[in-house]
């Protein structure tokens, strides 16, 4: 019966894919409710490594129904490529359902993403260039193309024409690019229709029926709290609702049906792209975290910015998402440090902030106030219980649990499926 929401508590890449995969054998449906192929989730099963972008990570679990919800933006070419690659590796993808109301990323969205970033110059967001922002902008502007439109050529043509009417002026007159051709774009999209059709469903109805039938549903966020369009470090955010509220609007279930909200959080912090990051490191420690943690983007290959654990952000994520559980990942990466600093509050021009400043300038100027904890040197990747960890690693976890606003229910000690310490059951009724 439980409906479990899983979100990123920082700036993404916390290990949501691994956490979802961990629960895979116990859930009936895994629903992606926001974002698109800007996401990059690595799941390691035995010696096999999978990189997923648009598909929910639950697709790797036998028997799970993976669902692309209405809140997602779908690049259909990428969808087919990802499905083909999985089929080639023997993964059964036949149960996938795609919401008829999900919006479509077209070639002109990808073009606009790239040219607007170039035009922004030093104000750029550092997007993944996948067309995410322009596709969501069209959705909000009521100029979007939805999956259902692909099954009516006349309507599709009309909508593409409407969407391109203004954009082509922009492309040609402002951005000095070629206009997109209405017929060509329509044909390109129509060519996907036959293959897509059997996957398309009324997913809000399917999901509510599944809940009525006592099934277990996991709602898996792309991106993270600090990249959320409302609650993140605007404008350096993605264009969707990556927090727990997005699971409701992006899937069509009511908020009263959600039992628990898991926040996935690294034992340190990373960020890709531009924007403020108070605990960012520019020294050898930062490079050490990047190297040891393999902090390079799954989607764009960019080196991730690295920094210490920030409990102000953890408390903020706990609050905004109503977290019931934390999954702390990559504790193993901190092994081998003399001291491990944890940010407990910010100093903004002499004033102490224990909670996230409401004022963007204050956040941009926030200097971390650290407490230093003693490190550990032992290899912890074989730990399967908290007691297996060195005393200093246990103390580190207790410290961050006490100041992060939610209980720690699991701890990652390596990338593999079994490299995890269970603490509390992650699937529970409210
Ligand atoms: P996601 O976008 O939140 O799913 O995270 P990514 O897959 O982009 O990045 C997380 C990376 O950390 C992946 O390469 C995972 O295989 C890896 N990972 C996840 N949990 C752990 C952990 O506990 N320890 C280590 N060393 N790596 C982990
Ligand atoms: P997962 O799901 C980390 C960042 C981009 C950029 C900003 C906007 O793997 O955690 P967009 O292309 O979405 O318009 O880019 O958001 N970003 C991510 N950073 N992990 C992600 O996904 C991200 N998806 C987008 O780097 O700063
Ligand atoms: Mg990622």
């Amino acid at each position: 019966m439980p409906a479990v929401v899983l979100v990123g508590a920082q700036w993404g890449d916390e290990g949501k894919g691994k956490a979802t995969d961990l629960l895979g054998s116990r859930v009936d449906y895994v629903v992606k409710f926001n974002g698109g192929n800007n996401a990059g989730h690595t799941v390691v099963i035995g010696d096999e490594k999978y990189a997923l972008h648009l598909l929910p990570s639950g697709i790797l679990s036998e028997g799970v129904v993976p669902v692309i919800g209405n809140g997602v933006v779908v690049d259909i070419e990428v969808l087919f490529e990802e499905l083909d690659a999985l089929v080639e590796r023997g993964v059964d993808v036949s149960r996938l359902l795609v919401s008829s109301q999900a919006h479509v990323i077209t070639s002109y969205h990808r073009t606009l993403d790239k040219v607007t970033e170039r035009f922004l110059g030093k104000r750029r967001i550092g997007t993944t260039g996948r067309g995410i922002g322009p596709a969501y902008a069209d959705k909000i502007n009521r100029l979007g193309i939805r999956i259902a439109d692909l099954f009516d050529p006349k309507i599709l043509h009309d909508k593409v024409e409407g969407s391109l009417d203004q954009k082509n002026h922009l492309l040609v007159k402002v951005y000095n690019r070629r206009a997109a051709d209405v017929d060509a774009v329509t044909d390109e999209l129509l060519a996907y229709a036959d293959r897509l059709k059997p996957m398309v469903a009324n997913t809000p109805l399917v999901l509510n029926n599944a809940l009525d039938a006592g099934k277990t549903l996991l709602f898996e966020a792309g991106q993270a709290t600090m990249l959320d369009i409302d609650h993140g470090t605007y404008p350096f955010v993605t264009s969707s609702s990556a927090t727990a509220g997005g699971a409701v609007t992006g899937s069509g279930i009511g908020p009263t049906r959600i039992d628990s909200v898991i926040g996935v959080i690294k034992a340190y912090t990373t960020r890709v792209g531009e924007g403020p990051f108070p605990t960012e490191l520019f020294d050898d420690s930062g490079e050490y975290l990047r190297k040891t943690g393999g902090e390079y983007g799954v989607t764009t290959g960019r080196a991730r910015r690295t920094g210490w654990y920030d409990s102000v952000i953890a408390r903020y994520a706990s609050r905004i998402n109503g977290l019931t559980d934390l999954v702390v990942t990559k504790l193993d990466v901190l092994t081998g440090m003399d001291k491990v600093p944890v940010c407990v509050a910010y100093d903004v021009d002499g004033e102490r902030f224990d909670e996230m400043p409401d004022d963007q300038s204050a956040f941009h100027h926030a200097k971390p106030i650290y407490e230093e904890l003693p490190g550990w040197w032992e290899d912890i990747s074989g730990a399967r219980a908290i007691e297996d960890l060195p005393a200093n690693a246990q103390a580190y976890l207790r410290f961050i649990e006490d100041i992060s606003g939610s209980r720690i229910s699991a701890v990652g000690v390596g990338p593999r499926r079994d490299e995890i310490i269970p603490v509390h059951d992650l699937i529970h009724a409210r």
Side-chain angles (χ1 to χ4, degrees), residues 32 54 78 83 92 108 118 146 166 170 178 191 196 245 268 311 313 338 351 384 386 405 424:
K32 181 176 169 103
L54 177 55
V78 171
L83 287 172
D92 176 10
Y108 51 82
R118 221 170 296 146
R146 298 194 293 179
Q166 221 183 25
L170 195 67
R178 243 181 310 151
L196 193 64
Y268 51 97
S311 71
I313 281 171
D338 243 1
E351 188 186 345
R384 295 296 175 268
I386 294 290
H424 299 289

PDB file of all heavy atoms in Angstrom, residues 32 54 78 83 92 108 118 146 166 170 178 191 196 245 268 311 313 338 351 384 386 405 424:
ATOM      1  N   LYS A  32       8.677   8.232 -12.566  1.00  0.00           N
ATOM      2  CA  LYS A  32       9.447   9.477 -12.716  1.00  0.00           C
ATOM      3  C   LYS A  32       8.433  10.590 -12.892  1.00  0.00           C
ATOM      4  O   LYS A  32       7.517  10.468 -13.701  1.00  0.00           O
ATOM      5  CB  LYS A  32      10.370   9.363 -13.930  1.00  0.00           C
ATOM      6  CG  LYS A  32      11.243  10.592 -14.180  1.00  0.00           C
ATOM      7  CD  LYS A  32      12.175  10.343 -15.347  1.00  0.00           C
ATOM      8  CE  LYS A  32      12.863  11.609 -15.815  1.00  0.00           C
ATOM      9  NZ  LYS A  32      14.255  11.707 -15.366  1.00  0.00           N
ATOM     10  N   LEU A  54      16.468   9.312 -19.108  1.00  0.00           N
ATOM     11  CA  LEU A  54      15.036   9.608 -19.152  1.00  0.00           C
ATOM     12  C   LEU A  54      14.205   8.537 -18.448  1.00  0.00           C
ATOM     13  O   LEU A  54      13.140   8.814 -17.899  1.00  0.00           O
ATOM     14  CB  LEU A  54      14.621   9.743 -20.628  1.00  0.00           C
ATOM     15  CG  LEU A  54      13.166   9.990 -20.941  1.00  0.00           C
ATOM     16  CD1 LEU A  54      12.661  11.224 -20.211  1.00  0.00           C
ATOM     17  CD2 LEU A  54      12.982  10.164 -22.445  1.00  0.00           C
ATOM     18  N   VAL A  78      15.498  10.095 -27.606  1.00  0.00           N
ATOM     19  CA  VAL A  78      16.317   9.615 -26.479  1.00  0.00           C
ATOM     20  C   VAL A  78      15.626   8.429 -25.796  1.00  0.00           C
ATOM     21  O   VAL A  78      16.274   7.454 -25.419  1.00  0.00           O
ATOM     22  CB  VAL A  78      16.564  10.759 -25.463  1.00  0.00           C
ATOM     23  CG1 VAL A  78      17.218  10.245 -24.195  1.00  0.00           C
ATOM     24  CG2 VAL A  78      17.412  11.853 -26.102  1.00  0.00           C
ATOM     25  N   LEU A  83      15.833   2.769 -24.537  1.00  0.00           N
ATOM     26  CA  LEU A  83      15.139   1.469 -24.501  1.00  0.00           C
ATOM     27  C   LEU A  83      15.922   0.435 -25.316  1.00  0.00           C
ATOM     28  O   LEU A  83      16.145  -0.693 -24.865  1.00  0.00           O
ATOM     29  CB  LEU A  83      13.713   1.606 -25.047  1.00  0.00           C
ATOM     30  CG  LEU A  83      12.718   2.322 -24.131  1.00  0.00           C
ATOM     31  CD1 LEU A  83      11.395   2.570 -24.853  1.00  0.00           C
ATOM     32  CD2 LEU A  83      12.469   1.527 -22.850  1.00  0.00           C
ATOM     33  N   ASP A  92      14.215  -6.379 -19.701  1.00  0.00           N
ATOM     34  CA  ASP A  92      12.839  -6.398 -20.186  1.00  0.00           C
ATOM     35  C   ASP A  92      12.225  -5.008 -19.959  1.00  0.00           C
ATOM     36  O   ASP A  92      12.065  -4.582 -18.813  1.00  0.00           O
ATOM     37  CB  ASP A  92      12.050  -7.471 -19.415  1.00  0.00           C
ATOM     38  CG  ASP A  92      10.574  -7.494 -19.800  1.00  0.00           C
ATOM     39  OD1 ASP A  92      10.213  -6.810 -20.786  1.00  0.00           O
ATOM     40  OD2 ASP A  92       9.800  -8.183 -19.115  1.00  0.00           O
ATOM     41  N   TYR A 108      13.490  22.003 -31.788  1.00  0.00           N
ATOM     42  CA  TYR A 108      13.650  23.448 -31.568  1.00  0.00           C
ATOM     43  C   TYR A 108      13.860  23.787 -30.093  1.00  0.00           C
ATOM     44  O   TYR A 108      14.447  24.817 -29.765  1.00  0.00           O
ATOM     45  CB  TYR A 108      12.511  24.272 -32.190  1.00  0.00           C
ATOM     46  CG  TYR A 108      11.090  23.874 -31.863  1.00  0.00           C
ATOM     47  CD1 TYR A 108      10.478  24.287 -30.685  1.00  0.00           C
ATOM     48  CD2 TYR A 108      10.346  23.096 -32.744  1.00  0.00           C
ATOM     49  CE1 TYR A 108       9.159  23.940 -30.406  1.00  0.00           C
ATOM     50  CE2 TYR A 108       9.036  22.737 -32.465  1.00  0.00           C
ATOM     51  CZ  TYR A 108       8.442  23.165 -31.289  1.00  0.00           C
ATOM     52  OH  TYR A 108       7.140  22.814 -31.009  1.00  0.00           O
ATOM     53  N   ARG A 118      24.116  30.568 -24.777  1.00  0.00           N
ATOM     54  CA  ARG A 118      25.199  31.338 -25.388  1.00  0.00           C
ATOM     55  C   ARG A 118      24.925  32.838 -25.234  1.00  0.00           C
ATOM     56  O   ARG A 118      25.803  33.618 -24.907  1.00  0.00           O
ATOM     57  CB  ARG A 118      25.327  30.973 -26.868  1.00  0.00           C
ATOM     58  CG  ARG A 118      26.770  30.858 -27.319  1.00  0.00           C
ATOM     59  CD  ARG A 118      26.907  30.259 -28.702  1.00  0.00           C
ATOM     60  NE  ARG A 118      26.428  28.900 -28.769  1.00  0.00           N
ATOM     61  CZ  ARG A 118      25.825  28.363 -29.831  1.00  0.00           C
ATOM     62  NH1 ARG A 118      25.603  29.070 -30.907  1.00  0.00           N
ATOM     63  NH2 ARG A 118      25.438  27.107 -29.815  1.00  0.00           N
ATOM     64  N   ARG A 146       2.057  17.764 -26.448  1.00  0.00           N
ATOM     65  CA  ARG A 146       1.972  16.647 -25.509  1.00  0.00           C
ATOM     66  C   ARG A 146       1.987  15.317 -26.262  1.00  0.00           C
ATOM     67  O   ARG A 146       1.675  15.264 -27.461  1.00  0.00           O
ATOM     68  CB  ARG A 146       0.714  16.779 -24.650  1.00  0.00           C
ATOM     69  CG  ARG A 146       0.753  18.062 -23.818  1.00  0.00           C
ATOM     70  CD  ARG A 146      -0.274  18.083 -22.734  1.00  0.00           C
ATOM     71  NE  ARG A 146      -1.636  18.131 -23.249  1.00  0.00           N
ATOM     72  CZ  ARG A 146      -2.712  18.128 -22.462  1.00  0.00           C
ATOM     73  NH1 ARG A 146      -2.580  18.073 -21.147  1.00  0.00           N
ATOM     74  NH2 ARG A 146      -3.918  18.182 -22.988  1.00  0.00           N
ATOM     75  N   GLN A 166       5.908  32.356 -33.048  1.00  0.00           N
ATOM     76  CA  GLN A 166       6.727  33.401 -32.439  1.00  0.00           C
ATOM     77  C   GLN A 166       8.205  33.007 -32.406  1.00  0.00           C
ATOM     78  O   GLN A 166       9.088  33.832 -32.641  1.00  0.00           O
ATOM     79  CB  GLN A 166       6.236  33.572 -31.008  1.00  0.00           C
ATOM     80  CG  GLN A 166       6.157  34.975 -30.539  1.00  0.00           C
ATOM     81  CD  GLN A 166       5.733  35.010 -29.078  1.00  0.00           C
ATOM     82  OE1 GLN A 166       5.933  34.057 -28.315  1.00  0.00           O
ATOM     83  NE2 GLN A 166       5.122  36.094 -28.693  1.00  0.00           N
ATOM     84  N   LEU A 170      12.054  34.761 -33.350  1.00  0.00           N
ATOM     85  CA  LEU A 170      13.130  34.856 -32.369  1.00  0.00           C
ATOM     86  C   LEU A 170      14.400  34.198 -32.902  1.00  0.00           C
ATOM     87  O   LEU A 170      15.486  34.775 -32.870  1.00  0.00           O
ATOM     88  CB  LEU A 170      12.650  34.142 -31.099  1.00  0.00           C
ATOM     89  CG  LEU A 170      13.402  34.370 -29.807  1.00  0.00           C
ATOM     90  CD1 LEU A 170      13.227  35.822 -29.368  1.00  0.00           C
ATOM     91  CD2 LEU A 170      12.838  33.446 -28.716  1.00  0.00           C
ATOM     92  N   ARG A 178      18.511  29.442 -38.368  1.00  0.00           N
ATOM     93  CA  ARG A 178      17.500  29.120 -39.367  1.00  0.00           C
ATOM     94  C   ARG A 178      16.149  28.884 -38.688  1.00  0.00           C
ATOM     95  O   ARG A 178      16.106  28.372 -37.564  1.00  0.00           O
ATOM     96  CB  ARG A 178      17.899  27.852 -40.113  1.00  0.00           C
ATOM     97  CG  ARG A 178      18.132  28.151 -41.593  1.00  0.00           C
ATOM     98  CD  ARG A 178      18.508  26.928 -42.353  1.00  0.00           C
ATOM     99  NE  ARG A 178      19.587  26.197 -41.706  1.00  0.00           N
ATOM    100  CZ  ARG A 178      19.744  24.894 -41.796  1.00  0.00           C
ATOM    101  NH1 ARG A 178      18.925  24.155 -42.474  1.00  0.00           N
ATOM    102  NH2 ARG A 178      20.749  24.285 -41.186  1.00  0.00           N
ATOM    103  N   ALA A 191       6.629  10.382 -36.965  1.00  0.00           N
ATOM    104  CA  ALA A 191       7.361   9.139 -37.235  1.00  0.00           C
ATOM    105  C   ALA A 191       7.534   8.293 -35.965  1.00  0.00           C
ATOM    106  O   ALA A 191       7.778   7.092 -36.039  1.00  0.00           O
ATOM    107  CB  ALA A 191       8.725   9.468 -37.834  1.00  0.00           C
ATOM    108  N   LEU A 196       5.487   4.441 -30.235  1.00  0.00           N
ATOM    109  CA  LEU A 196       5.160   4.996 -28.915  1.00  0.00           C
ATOM    110  C   LEU A 196       3.784   4.531 -28.421  1.00  0.00           C
ATOM    111  O   LEU A 196       3.583   4.284 -27.222  1.00  0.00           O
ATOM    112  CB  LEU A 196       5.201   6.529 -29.017  1.00  0.00           C
ATOM    113  CG  LEU A 196       5.195   7.322 -27.727  1.00  0.00           C
ATOM    114  CD1 LEU A 196       6.462   7.029 -26.909  1.00  0.00           C
ATOM    115  CD2 LEU A 196       5.117   8.818 -28.027  1.00  0.00           C
ATOM    116  N   GLY A 245       6.551  17.865  -3.524  1.00  0.00           N
ATOM    117  CA  GLY A 245       5.294  18.348  -4.090  1.00  0.00           C
ATOM    118  C   GLY A 245       5.154  17.994  -5.561  1.00  0.00           C
ATOM    119  O   GLY A 245       4.044  17.757  -6.064  1.00  0.00           O
ATOM    120  N   TYR A 268      28.978  14.435   1.591  1.00  0.00           N
ATOM    121  CA  TYR A 268      29.575  15.734   1.297  1.00  0.00           C
ATOM    122  C   TYR A 268      28.651  16.386   0.270  1.00  0.00           C
ATOM    123  O   TYR A 268      27.484  15.973   0.178  1.00  0.00           O
ATOM    124  CB  TYR A 268      31.027  15.580   0.793  1.00  0.00           C
ATOM    125  CG  TYR A 268      31.176  14.594  -0.342  1.00  0.00           C
ATOM    126  CD1 TYR A 268      31.219  15.012  -1.680  1.00  0.00           C
ATOM    127  CD2 TYR A 268      31.241  13.225  -0.087  1.00  0.00           C
ATOM    128  CE1 TYR A 268      31.331  14.105  -2.710  1.00  0.00           C
ATOM    129  CE2 TYR A 268      31.349  12.302  -1.135  1.00  0.00           C
ATOM    130  CZ  TYR A 268      31.388  12.754  -2.436  1.00  0.00           C
ATOM    131  OH  TYR A 268      31.479  11.853  -3.464  1.00  0.00           O
ATOM    132  N   SER A 311      24.757  21.250   6.561  1.00  0.00           N
ATOM    133  CA  SER A 311      23.551  20.872   7.310  1.00  0.00           C
ATOM    134  C   SER A 311      22.448  21.925   7.197  1.00  0.00           C
ATOM    135  O   SER A 311      21.285  21.635   7.457  1.00  0.00           O
ATOM    136  CB  SER A 311      23.893  20.607   8.778  1.00  0.00           C
ATOM    137  OG  SER A 311      24.208  21.819   9.417  1.00  0.00           O
ATOM    138  N   ILE A 313      21.525  23.173   4.396  1.00  0.00           N
ATOM    139  CA  ILE A 313      20.797  22.659   3.234  1.00  0.00           C
ATOM    140  C   ILE A 313      20.027  21.394   3.603  1.00  0.00           C
ATOM    141  O   ILE A 313      18.886  21.198   3.186  1.00  0.00           O
ATOM    142  CB  ILE A 313      21.792  22.442   2.073  1.00  0.00           C
ATOM    143  CG1 ILE A 313      22.059  23.811   1.457  1.00  0.00           C
ATOM    144  CG2 ILE A 313      21.244  21.485   1.029  1.00  0.00           C
ATOM    145  CD1 ILE A 313      23.153  23.824   0.451  1.00  0.00           C
ATOM    146  N   ASP A 338      42.018  13.396   7.675  1.00  0.00           N
ATOM    147  CA  ASP A 338      42.381  13.681   9.059  1.00  0.00           C
ATOM    148  C   ASP A 338      41.193  14.222   9.829  1.00  0.00           C
ATOM    149  O   ASP A 338      40.832  13.751  10.887  1.00  0.00           O
ATOM    150  CB  ASP A 338      43.473  14.762   9.043  1.00  0.00           C
ATOM    151  CG  ASP A 338      44.746  14.239   9.632  1.00  0.00           C
ATOM    152  OD1 ASP A 338      44.757  13.060  10.025  1.00  0.00           O
ATOM    153  OD2 ASP A 338      45.732  15.011   9.684  1.00  0.00           O
ATOM    154  N   GLU A 351      26.593  38.202  10.491  1.00  0.00           N
ATOM    155  CA  GLU A 351      25.367  37.706  11.114  1.00  0.00           C
ATOM    156  C   GLU A 351      25.276  36.191  10.929  1.00  0.00           C
ATOM    157  O   GLU A 351      25.533  35.681   9.835  1.00  0.00           O
ATOM    158  CB  GLU A 351      24.146  38.377  10.464  1.00  0.00           C
ATOM    159  CG  GLU A 351      22.843  38.069  11.179  1.00  0.00           C
ATOM    160  CD  GLU A 351      21.609  38.632  10.438  1.00  0.00           C
ATOM    161  OE1 GLU A 351      21.805  39.495   9.537  1.00  0.00           O
ATOM    162  OE2 GLU A 351      20.494  38.197  10.742  1.00  0.00           O
ATOM    163  N   ARG A 384      28.226  -3.615   6.923  1.00  0.00           N
ATOM    164  CA  ARG A 384      26.805  -3.870   6.637  1.00  0.00           C
ATOM    165  C   ARG A 384      25.916  -3.541   7.832  1.00  0.00           C
ATOM    166  O   ARG A 384      24.715  -3.768   7.822  1.00  0.00           O
ATOM    167  CB  ARG A 384      26.593  -5.335   6.212  1.00  0.00           C
ATOM    168  CG  ARG A 384      27.266  -5.703   4.892  1.00  0.00           C
ATOM    169  CD  ARG A 384      26.689  -4.932   3.700  1.00  0.00           C
ATOM    170  NE  ARG A 384      27.432  -5.209   2.476  1.00  0.00           N
ATOM    171  CZ  ARG A 384      28.467  -4.485   2.040  1.00  0.00           C
ATOM    172  NH1 ARG A 384      28.864  -3.396   2.708  1.00  0.00           N
ATOM    173  NH2 ARG A 384      29.095  -4.820   0.943  1.00  0.00           N
ATOM    174  N   ILE A 386      25.864  -0.503  11.295  1.00  0.00           N
ATOM    175  CA  ILE A 386      26.512   0.694  11.845  1.00  0.00           C
ATOM    176  C   ILE A 386      27.686   0.296  12.745  1.00  0.00           C
ATOM    177  O   ILE A 386      28.743   0.924  12.725  1.00  0.00           O
ATOM    178  CB  ILE A 386      25.478   1.554  12.625  1.00  0.00           C
ATOM    179  CG1 ILE A 386      24.429   2.125  11.666  1.00  0.00           C
ATOM    180  CG2 ILE A 386      26.153   2.651  13.427  1.00  0.00           C
ATOM    181  CD1 ILE A 386      24.924   3.200  10.716  1.00  0.00           C
ATOM    182  N   GLY A 405      17.696  17.221  10.559  1.00  0.00           N
ATOM    183  CA  GLY A 405      16.240  17.330  10.540  1.00  0.00           C
ATOM    184  C   GLY A 405      15.484  16.056  10.221  1.00  0.00           C
ATOM    185  O   GLY A 405      14.252  16.053  10.211  1.00  0.00           O
ATOM    186  N   HIS A 424      16.907   1.756   9.182  1.00  0.00           N
ATOM    187  CA  HIS A 424      15.458   1.628   9.406  1.00  0.00           C
ATOM    188  C   HIS A 424      14.843   1.174   8.087  1.00  0.00           C
ATOM    189  O   HIS A 424      15.359   1.516   7.026  1.00  0.00           O
ATOM    190  CB  HIS A 424      14.821   2.976   9.781  1.00  0.00           C
ATOM    191  CG  HIS A 424      15.378   3.563  11.033  1.00  0.00           C
ATOM    192  ND1 HIS A 424      15.127   3.053  12.279  1.00  0.00           N
ATOM    193  CD2 HIS A 424      16.198   4.632  11.217  1.00  0.00           C
ATOM    194  CE1 HIS A 424      15.759   3.779  13.186  1.00  0.00           C
ATOM    195  NE2 HIS A 424      16.421   4.742  12.576  1.00  0.00           N
TER     196      HIS A 424
END
